[in-house]
Amino acid sequence: MAGSALRVAGRQLSQYSESGAPILLRQMFEPKSCTYTYLLGDRESREAVLIDPVLETAHRDAQLVKELGLQLLYAGSGLLRSLLPGCQSVISRLSGAQADMHIEDGDPIRFGRFALETRASPGHTPGCVTFVLDDHSMAFTGDTLLIRGCGRTDFQQGCAKTLYHSVHEKIFTLPGDCLIYPAHDYHGLTVSTVEEERTLNPRLTLSCEEFVKVMSKLNLPKPQQIDFAVPANMRCGIQTPPS
């Protein structure tokens, strides 16, 4: 699951991923796009989900799933669906992309004893979602909220005002100690908390009006590979391995 989908290797994260804890969590990194991919699994049932996958690292992720003896139920990649039989591709209905399963605000993604709550958090794109673990201990914020930053809003039907309200209403309302795991980081940071971002994020601590002004003046370059990435994202649920 990637931003709008269920999108370093083998790194252990927080108390929840320590040996013997019920939930298994692994964070992987793709350096070209500075993307984090998250593998979440139930140690008892061995059922798992993959959040924020990257097409180029699908074989790496599939290998890790196999090594850990997990059954991947859901991911945001049709390629992983092909590599791991039984896996379903999942993406937000509002993304307009193809997938086995389309999700909406409030829908649960269940794996073993756990569930991820889908929270619609548009603004970067209309289909962006945040996945929140059912005990509110961690949130996977995709491209919406980054560590001390946020996703850009100047392409793919982005809207700064919408993103601001998404963060404040769907993410900042979580407990302060809820861990924030973004889809990207460009400074080597791996995790934050809701309280840190509520008080330290230089963009999201502004008023909505000030935030919109800041986002309108970023003058960011066109993202690398965007001409390939956008159409690929639209068919992410039906990708197949190259012949």
Side-chain angles (χ1 to χ4, degrees), residues 40-94:
L40 278 172
D42 182 340
R43 292 181 183 274
E44 186 176 88
S45 70
R46 311 310 294 173
E47 293 180 342
V49 298
L50 194 73
I51 302 171
D52 297 321
V54 178
L55 181 63
E56 288 78 8
T57 56
H59 288 274
R60 176 204 66 186
D61 299 342
Q63 181 63 29
L64 181 59
V65 168
K66 293 175 182 177
E67 289 175 352
L68 296 177
L70 300 172
Q71 178 190 0
L72 191 65
L73 300 184
Y74 303 109
S77 166
L79 179 51
L80 282 161
R81 167 177 170 259
S82 301
L83 295 172
L84 297 169
C87 174
Q88 289 187 292
S89 57
V90 180
I91 200 164
S92 166
R93 186 177 302 280
L94 293 176

Side-chain angles (χ1 to χ4, degrees), residues 55-56 225-233 235:
L55 181 63
E56 288 78 8
Q225 297 185 303
I226 191 64
D227 293 330
F228 164 79
V230 171
N233 287 343
R235 63 177 189 275

